[in-house]
Amino acid sequence: MSPNLESIAGTWPMIKLALHRDKIIIPVFILFLVLLILGTAASIINLYSDALVLQAFYLQMQTNPSITAILGSVLDPSTGGLTAWRTGISGPLIIGLISIFRMVRHTRSEERKGRLELLDSTAVGRQASLTSALFTSFGVNIIITLLIALGLIVLGLEFTSSIVLSLGIGAFGCLFTAITAVTVQLTESSSDARYLSVGLLVLFFVLRIIGWDNGNLKCLSWLSPLGWVHQIRAFAGNDWWVLGIFMIFILGLTITAYWLSSKRDVGSGIINQRAGPARASKCLNSSLALVWRLHRGMLIFWVVVFALMGMVMGFTAQTVTDAISANHQFLQLISQVSNGGPADSYFALVLALFGEVFAVYAILAVSRLRTEESKKYSEMLLTNSVSRSQWMVSNLIFAVLGSALIMVVFALTLGLAYGSSSGNFSQDLLRILASALVYLPAVWMLTGITVFLFGIIPRLASLSWVALGLFVVIDLLGEFFDVSQWILNLSPFTQVPKLFAGDTLTASLGWLFILAVALIVVGLWGFRRRDIIG
Amino acid sequence: MSVIEIKNLTKYYGKFQALNKVNLTVEKGEVYGFIGPNGAGKSTTLRILLGLLRKNEGEVKLMGQDPWHDAVKLHKKLAYVPGEVNLWPNLTGGEVIDLLGRLRGEFDIERREELIKRFKLDPTKKCGAYSTGNKQKVALISALVSDVELYIFDEPTLGLDPLMEGVFRKCIKELKKGGKTVLLSSHILAEVEALCDRVSIIRDGEIIETGTFTQLRHLTRTSITIDSFQPITGLENIDGVHNLVIDGDHAHFSVDAEKMDFVVKHLTQFGIQSLISTPPTLEELFIRYYGEEYSLDEETGK
Ligand SMILES: Nc1ncnc2c1ncn2[C@@H]1O[C@H](COP(=O)(O)OP(=O)(O)OP(=O)(O)O)[C@@H](O)[C@H]1O
Ligand SMILES: [Mg+2]
């Protein structure tokens, strides 16, 4: 059921409004992703211009199952092939997240604010908001695709394959645009729609890992669009037809979204939100209880997702180590760099990757403070008997303890799953737990940065995301370039001892912790002295 | 001791001066109106009173204490409804009422049920699904449910339909009977007129008038419509007569308070058939103070 002309009347002004509201965030998103991918390509080209070095690196990556499990296998021993491999997971994940957040923001969030209600009643057709959101989101994805293709070609990679690689990433973004167009029709609240879409993204990631290329469940990766991106085989034969699968799903989901949208009322979802209780439960009587009520959904979501992730990663670990043990050459290689067993390199990699993911939670949990302030929810508490410090601390508790809880749950399921297959429970579990916990000060650093910004320069509180982006880029660069140590040291994640790679505990970890606490204290102090602003 | 005492309060947002030497005193048991056009500084004043904003200069005392330093202590003794009500979208209205009421201390469950009934609120709906007016009702009920000394409302009837406005007015009158102090800001003049004992008018961050309605009316013009037996003459030459429209033995005009006596004496010589005199409404008071600018703004809807 395609929209008729009347139902999309007013789309153009809405597009203009959306672009105006996002005039900063869209270029930032585009720039971040494009630079990340082109930066990776440039560093690979820079580092492996020598064919022999390239070949050696390829063999090393290809034979290292811990890497192929998470990042997929390298399909072609060329700079292009390595670029496709290195960006094959992170590129789609990031463009997917961008698409989800933009779609939710421009459909449901708007509707919740009642702005749509206002627009709909005048000259704006009922499909206008969906159409404008789809249009801008597809547009952003197309621009990203073009820029990446152009960049890769300019960097000197092969023409057709560069296009195929960027099309794969762009198609993934469009797919999640379409998926979110459907989820926003299903749920009544914007946060539910976000959970649903992000949940699917996580599921696809998990399926991709279970169906990793050297495993025996390889076919499972065909259930995941992340697997499709891999199967496009950019720089390794270019299987164009896989793009057809994307097209079919994008089209089908878009049509479904329009059909659902025409069936529901503005402001409600297909799955209707039930009415709630007329009285609050006995426990809802303090600022802390309220934060728990508002926050628990997100916390439970993260705990469940990472418990699952830990399990998947733990079970994969066994097959990975088996594969490593069978490869004598590689076994020798890693015994030179780390003094642990074959599983150690795998765990070191997993923890390094996930440390930064947990930092996302650490930021999310405290950025609530700024959201609640600017949406004026906090005013209802702060003009009641809740003090400013009390309100801030009750949110902080969740950021600090919540990230620790997620970390512990992840490490436990990782260790238990691995232990259950290796048979060496107690020892492995404790080691994994310890190596994971040392990441906490780095994760809390981001809580600290966010709280500091909130207390001192609230309007710029979202800069903490820029900080995290910067740390991720620094760590990625460190992987490929000979970056000078002082730049690497800027990232708190550099300071974390990689216990599985043979590092020992250092004083810098203590300093990191102290710095995080100091930032939080300054933020608390600043908030007590400043105006509450919208 | 006055419940609210503001002296020479000045507030800057960056370089912009939002309040300039504001003075305001509210006595116990008073219903006090705070009126002024958009952007005059009403909300700013109230938010300083609540310790949400820091003052730059001046003195602010709330029940004898400093609203910035003793915020929590004071907040237990007052209830506030902000100008633009936003509530947690995942909580139901009933939950919000309970939560805010409990935070302030004990509250009467029966009063809660009664208020919900009077305002015709469905407490089982999620706040995200409420209309603007219904959100406003939730905030009003959460404030009214608490038995405190002082109630502060920032444009309380914004978004309420006339019926609910009536319910709100009744509630305020009951508070007054109970000896409570109420401060409400508004630009709905009829509301202030119907409820308040005293008012202050604020404009561009400055208080330009304070007093009871009777006092303020003295400063304004009464409008008069008259039918006489003989054609009226000579009115156009009297100082203090404005907007004169004469049609033979029928005339309509407004007259300054101090010229009233003189004008009426002048009129009697033509023989009065009927005379309607309307006291000035706050509307006219506003137009007088804000002048052309205000009435023009009103017409263009700015
Ligand atoms: N956070 C802020 N930063 C800068 N200027 C502000 C801020 N808040 C208010 N102002 C300005 O201060 C002035 C007074 O605003 P205030 O909200 O107190 O007005 P008001 O009388 O409540 O108006 P309204 O009737 O529209 O609610 C306005 O000119 C407004 O633009
Ligand atoms: Mg206001």
Side-chain angles (χ1 to χ4, degrees):
Chain A
M1 200 184 295
S2 69
N4 60 31
L5 273 180
E6 198 177 311
S7 71
I8 60 165
T11 300
W12 186 240
M14 288 203 62
I15 290 175
K16 280 201 288 194
L17 184 72
L19 290 180
H20 178 74
R21 288 216 301 138
D22 281 357
K23 63 177 181 278
I24 295 174
I25 199 78
I26 289 181
V28 168
F29 274 157
I30 294 179
L31 222 65
F32 176 70
L33 183 57
V34 171
L35 285 185
L36 192 76
I37 289 177
L38 294 184
T40 309
S43 51
I44 287 173
I45 293 169
N46 171 55
L47 213 57
Y48 304 111
S49 50
D50 185 332
L52 270 176
V53 181
L54 181 77
Q55 191 66 25
F57 181 71
Y58 165 71
L59 279 177
Q60 187 188 336
M61 290 300 117
Q62 198 53 3
T63 50
N64 183 346
S66 51
I67 287 179
T68 50
I70 298 168
L71 295 176
S73 54
V74 191
L75 292 172
D76 187 60
S78 65
T79 46
L82 280 176
T83 306
W85 159 77
R86 194 61 187 82
T87 58
I89 297 286
S90 54
L93 284 183
I94 293 170
I95 204 172
L97 285 174
I98 293 175
S99 299
I100 291 170
F101 284 97
R102 283 210 72 259
M103 280 304 285
V104 172
R105 177 171 152 91
H106 288 285
T107 50
R108 295 323 294 267
S109 304
E110 290 296 274
E111 222 169 87
R112 298 284 311 231
K113 275 183 226 142
R115 194 183 304 203
L116 256 184
E117 220 168 303
L118 200 78
L119 285 171
D120 270 6
S121 61
T122 57
V124 179
R126 60 170 303 126
Q127 306 286 25
S129 76
L130 180 60
T131 311
S132 89
L134 279 171
F135 184 88
T136 49
S137 187
F138 283 144
V140 167
N141 284 315
I142 290 169
I143 291 171
I144 290 175
T145 309
L146 286 176
L147 287 178
I148 292 174
L150 207 73
L152 293 177
I153 293 166
V154 169
L155 285 172
L157 294 181
E158 201 248 319
F159 187 81
T160 322
S161 302
S162 298
I163 292 177
V164 170
L165 170 58
S166 57
L167 276 178
I169 293 173
F172 193 87
C174 290
L175 181 69
F176 263 84
T177 300
I179 286 176
T180 311
V182 172
T183 59
V184 294
Q185 310 302 329
L186 295 178
T187 62
E188 189 159 344
S189 84
S190 47
S191 62
D192 288 349
R194 218 172 283 135
Y195 280 131
L196 210 58
S197 289
V198 174
L200 268 175
L201 192 61
V202 171
L203 179 73
F204 290 151
F205 183 54
V206 169
L207 279 175
R208 173 84 185 99
I209 291 174
I210 299 177
W212 68 295
D213 302 333
N214 298 2
N216 28 11
L217 292 168
K218 211 166 157 179
C219 51
L220 271 185
S221 87
W222 277 103
L223 289 180
S224 164
L226 279 166
W228 306 346
V229 174
H230 185 69
Q231 298 299 344
I232 292 179
R233 302 183 72 87
F235 293 96
N238 296 335
D239 279 345
W240 288 88
W241 63 270
V242 182
L243 286 170
I245 308 182
F246 276 110
M247 288 306 296
I248 292 168
F249 275 94
I250 292 168
L251 211 71
L253 287 164
T254 306
I255 292 171
T256 313
Y258 272 110
W259 178 70
L260 290 173
S261 161
S262 69
K263 292 194 70 107
R264 70 181 180 91
D265 295 331
V266 172
S268 67
I270 295 288
I271 305 166
N272 255 323
Q273 217 168 36
R274 279 162 293 125
R279 298 291 324 254
S281 77
K282 282 263 177 315
C283 333
L284 189 59
N285 59 3
S286 68
S287 160
L288 191 65
L290 175 67
V291 180
W292 163 243
R293 170 69 196 274
L294 298 173
H295 200 104
R296 63 183 181 201
M298 178 168 125
L299 183 64
I300 292 170
F301 179 80
W302 275 74
V303 167
V304 169
V305 164
F306 286 96
L308 277 174
M309 283 281 199
M311 251 156 64
V312 172
M313 296 277 176
F315 283 125
T316 322
Q318 189 53 47
T319 57
V320 171
T321 26
D322 289 349
I324 293 179
S325 308
N327 184 329
H328 289 290
Q329 202 186 344
F330 190 69
L331 198 59
Q332 236 168 9
L333 191 78
I334 55 167
S335 66
Q336 281 161 14
V337 288
S338 90
N339 35 21
D344 289 13
S345 69
Y346 173 81
F347 285 124
L349 184 73
V350 167
L351 292 176
L353 276 175
F354 278 84
E356 279 161 5
V357 176
F358 295 141
V360 171
Y361 177 85
I363 294 181
L364 269 182
V366 268
S367 26
R368 278 203 94 85
L369 287 169
R370 180 61 194 144
T371 320
E372 295 235 329
E373 183 191 8
S374 65
K375 288 193 173 161
K376 305 206 163 113
Y377 304 152
S378 62
E379 218 162 280
M380 303 304 289
L381 298 176
L382 296 177
T383 58
N384 208 308
S385 66
V386 179
S387 76
R388 294 184 179 211
S389 312
Q390 222 177 332
W391 177 64
M392 240 177 120
V393 168
S394 36
N395 278 281
L396 261 168
I397 288 174
F398 280 88
V400 172
L401 296 186
S403 50
L405 176 71
I406 296 166
M407 184 73 96
V408 168
V409 166
F410 176 73
L412 278 179
T413 53
L414 184 69
L416 286 175
Y418 179 63
S420 73
S421 48
S422 77
N424 195 354
F425 261 117
S426 52
Q427 202 194 342
D428 288 330
L429 192 61
L430 280 179
R431 283 189 66 209
I432 291 176
L433 208 54
S435 330
L437 287 181
V438 289
Y439 274 90
L440 276 179
V443 169
W444 289 337
M445 251 318 268
L446 284 134
T447 301
I449 292 173
T450 318
V451 170
F452 173 84
L453 290 170
F454 171 73
I456 306 293
I457 22 176
R459 286 187 212 275
L460 298 180
S462 42
L463 276 185
S464 51
W465 291 110
V466 177
L468 179 61
L470 211 67
F471 298 154
V472 169
V473 169
I474 288 176
D475 291 349
L476 266 179
L477 284 181
E479 193 181 326
F480 291 112
F481 280 121
D482 235 352
V483 185
S484 64
Q485 191 61 36
W486 73 266
I487 295 185
L488 290 182
N489 279 344
L490 286 180
S491 164
F493 296 97
T494 314
Q495 312 294 338
V496 176
K498 316 284 180 288
L499 296 185
F500 270 114
D503 290 359
T504 49
L505 284 180
T506 54
S508 56
L509 197 64
W511 283 115
L512 210 56
F513 180 73
I514 290 170
L515 190 57
V517 173
L519 283 171
I520 290 175
V521 170
V522 173
L524 277 163
W525 172 80
F527 181 62
R528 287 186 51 173
R529 313 187 59 249
R530 72 168 174 83
D531 285 355
I532 305 290
I533 48 179
Chain B
M1 184 185 65
S2 311
V3 176
I4 297 173
E5 240 184 312
I6 299 179
K7 275 189 204 136
N8 292 325
L9 174 64
T10 301
K11 169 75 189 172
Y12 288 90
Y13 288 114
K15 283 217 171 79
F16 175 77
Q17 187 174 30
L19 296 179
N20 182 14
K21 298 215 163 69
V22 166
N23 289 297
L24 189 81
T25 312
V26 179
E27 303 296 339
K28 190 165 166 42
E30 233 180 351
V31 177
Y32 202 99
F34 195 35
I35 52 177
N38 291 126
K42 304 180 293 289
S43 301
T44 305
T45 310
L46 297 187
R47 287 164 61 81
I48 291 174
L49 267 179
L50 287 152
L52 291 172
L53 300 178
R54 251 180 118 96
K55 64 181 186 222
N56 288 94
E57 280 157 43
E59 215 180 303
V60 182
K61 281 266 178 300
L62 202 57
M63 302 180 235
Q65 287 174 305
D66 181 342
W68 180 266
H69 287 289
D70 308 312
V72 174
K73 234 183 295 166
L74 283 170
H75 291 167
K76 285 185 184 154
K77 295 193 276 183
L78 64 83
Y80 164 67
V81 176
E84 187 191 329
V85 175
N86 277 312
L87 302 166
W88 305 274
N90 299 330
L91 263 57
T92 63
E95 286 176 311
V96 170
I97 294 170
D98 280 343
L99 171 70
L100 296 178
R102 283 172 194 169
L103 282 174
R104 224 174 267 123
E106 290 294 299
F107 67 88
D108 185 359
I109 306 290
E110 270 164 42
R111 172 136 175 91
R112 177 190 185 274
E113 300 309 322
E114 178 210 319
L115 282 167
I116 287 178
K117 211 178 275 162
R118 281 169 79 178
F119 277 103
K120 296 199 171 57
L121 179 80
D122 173 3
T124 63
K125 252 195 177 170
K126 296 264 162 89
C127 289
Y130 279 130
S131 64
T132 321
N134 280 326
K135 259 184 259 179
Q136 188 79 24
K137 286 189 206 167
V138 174
L140 286 174
I141 295 173
S142 341
L144 292 169
V145 85
S146 299
D147 183 22
V148 288
E149 290 170 40
L150 170 66
Y151 295 82
I152 298 179
F153 301 101
D154 194 355
E155 298 187 25
T157 52
L158 204 75
L160 290 189
D161 61 41
L163 219 65
M164 290 304 132
E165 229 178 284
V167 175
F168 173 73
R169 283 187 200 183
K170 245 185 161 164
C171 290
I172 298 299
K173 284 181 180 149
E174 287 165 16
L175 288 182
K176 188 177 156 57
K177 244 183 235 152
K180 310 292 185 187
T181 312
V182 179
L183 171 61
L184 64 90
S185 90
S186 180
H187 38 213
I188 302 173
L189 308 162
E191 174 177 293
V192 180
E193 206 164 0
L195 292 175
C196 301
D197 306 315
R198 287 201 301 152
V199 289
S200 276
I201 304 177
I202 186 171
R203 180 197 186 185
D204 289 339
E206 290 183 53
I207 301 276
I208 50 175
E209 201 61 61
T210 296
T212 63
F213 273 96
T214 338
Q215 281 166 351
L216 292 187
R217 283 207 182 104
H218 273 292
L219 301 166
T220 62
R221 301 160 184 166
T222 307
S223 67
I224 290 184
T225 308
I226 179 170
D227 286 310
S228 60
F229 290 110
Q230 294 157 29
I232 301 167
T233 53
L235 268 182
E236 58 274 18
N237 298 327
I238 301 174
D239 249 8
V241 171
H242 309 269
N243 309 330
L244 177 64
V245 184
I246 292 196
D247 176 16
D249 50 9
H250 179 89
H252 180 86
F253 59 91
S254 51
V255 56
D256 287 349
E258 63 269 23
K259 288 285 176 192
M260 192 65 158
D261 184 50
F262 184 80
V263 169
V264 174
K265 275 181 186 150
H266 177 80
L267 288 174
T268 46
Q269 52 182 309
F270 307 105
I272 297 171
Q273 194 173 9
S274 84
L275 183 138
I276 304 163
S277 113
T278 346
T281 60
L282 219 43
E283 213 88 47
E284 287 160 312
L285 226 155
F286 247 48
I287 293 173
R288 171 102 189 261
Y289 275 109
Y290 305 147
E292 298 293 284
E293 183 192 333
Y294 178 78
S295 43
L296 273 183
D297 281 359
E298 278 257 300
E299 274 158 32
T300 51
K302 266 188 210 162

